[in-house]
Amino acid sequence: MADNKKVWIASLKIIIPLYATYALFVFSIFTIFIPQLRNALIEQKKEMIRGLTETTISLISKYDDRVQQGELSLDEAQKSAKNQIRTMRYGPEGKDYFWISDMHPFMVMHPYRQDLEGRDLTLFRDTHGNYPFMAMVERVMQQKGGYVNYYWQWKDSSEKIVPKTSYVKGFVPWGWIVGTGLYTEDLEHEIQLILTKLSTLSLTILLIILGASFYLTFQTIRSEKARIRSIDALRRSEAMHRKFIDHAPMGMYTLNLKGKLTYINHTLEKMTGYQKETWLHQSFTPIVHPEDLPIAHEKFRERIQQKGRRTPYEIRILNHVGETRWLKIISESIYDDPNSEDRIMVGIQSFVEDITEMKTLEARYIQAQKMEAIGTLAGGIAHDFNNILSIVMGFAQLAQLNQDQPEKLSMNIEQILKGTEKATQLVQQILTFGRQSPQQMVPISLAVVIKESMKLLRATIPSTIEMKVEITANATVMADATKIHQVIMNLCTNAYHAMFQTGGILAVGLHEITFEAGDSIPSLDLKPGRYLKLEVSDSGHGMDPVTIQKIFDPYFTTKPLDKGTGLGLAVVFGIIQEHQGVINVYSEPGEGTTFHIYLPVVQNKVALEATKEASPLNSSGTEHILLVDDEEALLNANQDLLNRLGYGVTAFNNASEACTVFQDNPEAFDVVITDMTMPGMTGMALSQQILEQNPSFPIILCTGHSELINREKAMAMGIAAYLEKPVTIDRLAKTVREVLDHS
């Protein structure tokens, strides 16, 4: 019974709109179209009789021209004009005519009422008491012409009186008024013909609709019954399918375009521990690990915008008891019609696999690999540090011997400082590989960095190696100058080692290149645009394909255990990726090696023209500094240096003691400079104690390396400046001055 009701409802949904449309059509014809048509026809006919009258006036004007030229007398011209106009006819039956009266008014000529010719029409009235000829004179005198409504005999029948509208216009030279009229009955006849045709059309449409409604009703009943059967079968199929999906071995969920969950299967419930009743129609983000939220949001945007590949990604979630679980997710878009070219962005479906156990095993495997590589890493670092310490020790001993020779003493000290800088670079290299070093991305001139790097290399590379530098571009890139310098030094050092025994050519080039949208280079994954191409090549022994595949792997090296860490090219690769660039290599055994680096050009033409720290400003002062560092020698050195700049310094090698002194008398100090890693109380803890007492007090935090804090965390907690050790006196003095001047 319910199904039959649905069938009839479906039929009525088709039939009712058909009859409603027909009724609207008929209503529009007889209430809107016909009145508008009547008005339009009246205006059209009125415009027609006006035009005909104007034409007749033009005809009379030509006769008048002949009078003026002496060809005809006035009587001859008027007689000829009257005779010609008397015979002029128009209209569907050829019975519509013109007449002529004068301004008195006297009837001059009327083809059907010759009895009126020559008569005074001043008192002539129609059957409704109107004075039509006096009205015509008034129109001509006031407006030179116009329309007059009155009742008049039907064309050539004096017994039939009907409404008429005439247009009259005066011809001043002869004192004539010329007119012709429109019979309302003619107009009604035309409208009646149109109505007859429209009625026939309406009846035809009605018959068509009747036939269509019977046919559609029959088809609807049949199709609706089939649809009901299909829906019933589909429900049963969907129920089976949903049961299968709910208990599939893989988690599944769907999202709408707002990121709300629209479906969660039973397997995903078990993975997360959340019941679908509390999770459905909510955002998926609350259970995502905070550190992985950017990935989750980015992948959602990619699917919404149909960007990116349909590749798996991994994120962490927090289950219902707060445990971290690793999930592998692959998502795809849901379309309203998957087979249509004009398909539409109705949702996203995702398949989820719990890979927590696999991640645990992977972490153990990586840890085992790291432990295996410790020997190689320690040996390489020990070798590099021993070389640096040997340099520092040697020049320190020379400085002791050259105390009476200031020039040599200054050179010895400069070499000691260079050695410490190399040690700093080695630490930075290790931190860069571990993604621990901060990054300062600014517009720089790559050409300037290359020139500075080559100056340093030229003094250390033996004369058996020829250096060639070709720079043809001076565009700007967004980069960290120190890291780009590190890239160049690493690549050039590797090139030098490849030619150490045989000598050869080390070539460095910089050129600008533009990739268009249609360019296709399989080995490069670059967007269209402008790039700087950095090339570093050598004529050394080259590499085989197996070696090329591994050169960017961490800890991989072809050098002896005591000749390097195997971090260099891995660090280079990481730096280039951080700079949104691409690096590739070409090499063959015995044919040398060439590295190509592509970095995107930025439009900002303001570049750092030098990577060296600018000379400090006048950084002296008389303020009082609280200096804290557990390294006694470093504490004494910095105290002495700051005293030389005019500052008063109270130094402590114990942070707890420094904290007590500050809390007892905070007004005695203008700034605090503290180390980070110290026994008992750390520099961060000391800073927190001071800032709780005075939130705006200036603090400079110095650190070699700490897992507890970085520049961002320091700035967030209110630290005024964050310095990484080793810190030169120039940099320390400049920072102290800037902090004091802005506090």
Side-chain angles (χ1 to χ4, degrees):
M1 189 70 179
D3 289 345
N4 289 333
K5 184 178 179 181
K6 290 180 180 178
V7 169
W8 282 109
I9 290 174
S11 300
L12 290 174
K13 285 181 179 178
I14 296 175
I15 295 172
I16 289 175
L18 283 175
Y19 284 98
T21 302
Y22 174 75
L24 180 62
F25 168 74
V26 174
F27 176 80
S28 300
I29 288 294
F30 290 97
T31 61
I32 299 174
F33 176 72
I34 293 300
Q36 291 182 350
L37 176 63
R38 182 190 301 275
N39 293 333
L41 283 174
I42 290 173
E43 293 301 319
Q44 181 184 8
K45 295 293 185 180
K46 288 174 69 175
E47 185 63 23
M48 179 192 72
I49 61 175
R50 187 188 69 79
L52 290 171
T53 304
E54 297 282 356
T55 302
T56 306
I57 292 293
S58 298
L59 175 65
I60 296 172
S61 180
K62 290 181 180 179
Y63 278 105
D64 185 57
D65 290 342
R66 296 178 68 182
V67 172
Q68 301 302 323
Q69 295 171 5
E71 295 180 9
L72 295 172
S73 66
L74 179 60
D75 288 340
E76 291 173 333
Q78 289 181 341
K79 184 177 181 180
S80 298
K82 285 191 293 183
N83 290 336
Q84 184 173 353
I85 295 171
R86 187 186 298 274
T87 61
M88 290 169 58
R89 298 288 186 275
Y90 66 93
E93 299 177 351
K95 293 184 178 181
D96 291 302
Y97 58 91
F98 299 89
W99 75 91
I100 303 171
S101 67
D102 62 16
M103 302 294 292
H104 293 293
F106 285 90
M107 180 63 74
V108 175
M109 184 278 296
H110 195 294
Y112 290 109
R113 293 293 304 271
Q114 295 180 9
D115 59 307
L116 295 178
E117 292 182 2
R119 286 181 55 183
D120 184 354
L121 304 176
T122 303
L123 299 178
F124 184 90
R125 293 191 294 179
D126 62 14
T127 57
H128 283 62
N130 299 314
Y131 293 88
F133 291 100
M134 287 302 297
M136 295 174 191
V137 172
E138 289 178 3
R139 288 284 188 277
V140 171
M141 292 182 66
Q142 294 174 2
Q143 304 174 6
K144 297 184 180 181
Y147 295 97
V148 178
N149 298 319
Y150 57 98
Y151 287 84
W152 194 255
Q153 69 181 48
W154 171 248
K155 297 182 182 177
D156 55 353
S157 175
S158 59
E159 297 178 358
K160 185 178 180 181
I161 306 300
V162 295
K164 187 174 184 179
T165 298
S166 293
Y167 182 82
V168 294
K169 186 170 183 179
F171 184 68
V172 176
W174 291 1
W176 281 7
I177 297 174
V178 180
T180 187
L182 167 67
Y183 287 96
T184 305
E185 191 163 312
D186 282 342
L187 183 64
E188 293 298 331
H189 181 67
E190 289 187 34
I191 293 174
Q192 191 61 41
L193 289 175
I194 294 173
L195 281 173
T196 301
K197 292 180 180 179
L198 286 174
S199 298
T200 303
L201 177 62
S202 299
L203 181 60
T204 303
I205 293 174
L206 177 60
L207 292 174
I208 292 172
I209 289 176
L210 284 171
S213 63
F214 283 117
Y215 175 78
L216 291 174
T217 300
F218 173 75
Q219 291 294 335
T220 301
I221 291 172
R222 190 170 67 174
S223 62
E224 187 65 17
K225 286 182 177 179
R227 189 182 71 85
I228 291 171
R229 288 194 297 269
S230 298
I231 290 174
D232 186 54
L234 183 61
R235 285 199 192 103
R236 292 194 297 269
S237 175
E238 283 184 345
M240 293 178 61
H241 185 63
R242 182 61 61 92
K243 186 175 181 181
F244 170 77
I245 292 177
D246 269 341
H247 296 86
M250 181 176 288
M252 292 182 64
Y253 67 88
T254 58
L255 301 171
N256 61 20
L257 299 184
K258 295 182 179 180
K260 305 293 185 182
L261 287 155
T262 55
Y263 170 72
I264 306 159
N265 75 345
H266 183 65
T267 307
L268 187 58
E269 282 186 291
K270 291 171 63 178
M271 284 184 188
T272 62
Y274 293 101
Q275 298 297 316
K276 68 169 65 176
E277 288 76 14
T278 60
W279 196 17
L280 206 60
H281 306 302
Q282 304 296 321
S283 171
F284 69 98
T285 55
I287 70 166
V288 178
H289 193 285
E291 294 180 7
D292 291 348
L293 273 174
I295 300 174
H297 286 303
E298 179 62 24
K299 293 299 181 181
F300 177 74
R301 283 193 296 269
E302 285 181 358
R303 283 293 94 219
I304 291 294
Q305 299 169 4
Q306 300 188 69
K307 295 180 179 178
R309 298 176 180 175
R310 185 177 170 271
T311 53
Y313 62 96
E314 299 173 358
I315 61 170
R316 289 165 292 175
I317 65 163
L318 300 174
N319 67 9
H320 70 297
V321 294
E323 295 175 342
T324 300
R325 307 292 296 180
W326 277 96
L327 301 183
K328 182 178 181 181
I329 302 174
I330 184 167
S331 301
E332 59 184 18
S333 303
I334 304 174
Y335 300 98
D336 58 342
D337 184 359
N339 299 318
S340 171
E341 292 183 359
D342 299 326
R343 57 188 182 178
I344 300 174
M345 291 321 275
V346 296
I348 296 171
Q349 64 180 1
S350 299
F351 304 93
V352 185
E353 181 183 359
D354 190 332
I355 57 170
T356 306
E357 300 303 323
M358 184 184 74
K359 278 290 184 180
T360 303
L361 293 174
E362 183 181 289
R364 291 175 183 171
Y365 176 69
I366 292 174
Q367 185 64 27
Q369 281 187 319
K370 287 183 178 180
M371 294 301 294
E372 185 179 345
I374 285 294
T376 304
L377 180 62
I381 293 175
H383 170 267
D384 290 347
F385 264 118
N386 283 337
N387 284 343
I388 293 169
L389 289 174
S390 298
I391 293 171
V392 173
M393 185 180 295
F395 281 105
Q397 291 172 341
L398 287 173
Q400 287 181 328
L401 298 174
N402 293 325
Q403 293 185 41
D404 57 345
Q405 300 182 56
E407 185 176 346
K408 289 185 177 181
L409 179 62
S410 177
M411 291 176 61
N412 297 148
I413 294 173
E414 183 178 352
Q415 292 300 322
I416 292 172
L417 292 174
K418 285 184 178 180
T420 59
E421 185 178 352
K422 288 182 179 178
T424 302
Q425 290 175 353
L426 181 60
V427 172
Q428 288 298 322
Q429 189 180 49
I430 297 169
L431 293 178
T432 297
F433 176 71
R435 296 288 191 269
Q436 297 295 330
S437 58
Q439 194 166 259
Q440 296 180 348
M441 304 290 276
V442 293
I444 67 168
S445 170
L446 197 55
V448 173
V449 179
I450 292 173
K451 290 173 183 177
E452 291 180 352
S453 301
M454 300 316 289
K455 286 179 184 177
L456 294 174
L457 285 165
R458 198 176 300 276
T460 59
I461 291 179
S463 57
T464 55
I465 296 175
E466 180 183 357
M467 294 177 63
K468 292 183 178 180
V469 179
E470 182 182 5
I471 297 176
T472 63
N474 195 31
T476 301
V477 297
M478 186 67 71
D480 185 319
T482 302
K483 291 190 175 183
I484 296 299
H485 178 83
Q486 185 178 358
V487 167
I488 297 169
M489 297 295 286
N490 263 304
L491 294 179
C492 290
T493 300
N494 282 348
Y496 152 60
H497 287 156
M499 302 181 289
F500 180 74
Q501 295 180 342
T502 60
I505 299 174
L506 169 60
V508 177
L510 183 66
H511 312 283
E512 185 172 332
I513 185 171
T514 300
F515 291 104
E516 303 294 343
D519 293 343
S520 177
I521 304 177
S523 60
L524 301 178
D525 185 17
L526 293 174
K527 299 178 181 177
R530 295 169 55 204
Y531 291 85
L532 282 183
K533 180 182 180 182
L534 171 62
E535 296 182 6
V536 178
S537 63
D538 63 69
S539 57
H541 48 69
M543 295 178 285
D544 57 42
V546 175
T547 303
I548 291 175
Q549 293 294 323
K550 298 181 179 180
I551 57 171
F552 294 119
D553 292 349
Y555 311 121
F556 175 79
T557 179
T558 58
K559 302 173 186 177
L561 291 178
D562 60 345
K563 296 297 183 182
T565 62
L567 288 174
L569 288 178
V571 170
V572 168
F573 185 83
I575 292 173
I576 299 304
Q577 280 198 322
E578 288 173 356
H579 287 70
Q580 308 301 314
V582 169
I583 180 172
N584 63 9
V585 59
Y586 174 79
S587 183
E588 291 183 9
E591 298 295 330
T593 301
T594 301
F595 286 88
H596 298 138
I597 294 175
Y598 300 87
L599 294 173
V601 171
V602 294
Q603 299 303 319
N604 188 349
K605 296 183 178 179
V606 180
L608 298 182
E609 292 298 330
T611 57
K612 292 183 178 178
E613 196 171 79
S615 298
L617 302 173
N618 183 13
S619 301
S620 61
T622 58
E623 290 88 348
H624 196 174
I625 299 172
L626 177 61
L627 183 65
V628 187
D629 199 308
D630 65 322
E631 187 65 47
E632 194 73 34
L634 183 58
L635 183 70
N636 294 334
N638 284 338
Q639 182 178 11
D640 188 27
L641 290 169
L642 290 169
N643 282 333
R644 286 174 179 268
L645 292 172
Y647 294 104
V649 180
T650 300
F652 289 92
N653 63 1
N654 184 290
S656 298
E657 294 179 6
C659 184
T660 301
V661 170
F662 179 87
Q663 290 175 338
D664 289 343
N665 190 13
E667 292 81 8
F669 305 102
D670 298 294
V671 64
V672 170
I673 304 174
T674 178
D675 184 28
M676 173 58 195
T677 306
M678 296 181 290
M681 176 181 280
T682 65
M684 184 169 69
L686 172 61
S687 300
Q688 288 173 333
Q689 292 283 341
I690 293 173
L691 292 173
E692 285 177 4
Q693 187 171 353
N694 185 351
S696 62
F697 193 85
I699 300 174
I700 301 173
L701 183 64
C702 304
T703 180
H705 174 66
S706 174
E707 297 289 343
L708 300 177
I709 197 167
N710 55 29
R711 186 180 303 277
E712 289 72 22
K713 291 181 180 178
M715 297 298 104
M717 66 179 288
I719 300 295
Y722 180 87
L723 297 177
E724 292 185 340
K725 292 182 176 181
V727 184
T728 64
I729 184 57
D730 287 343
R731 188 178 175 202
L732 179 61
K734 185 178 180 181
T735 302
V736 170
R737 189 70 265 154
E738 288 176 349
V739 167
L740 286 170
D741 290 342
H742 289 87
S743 63

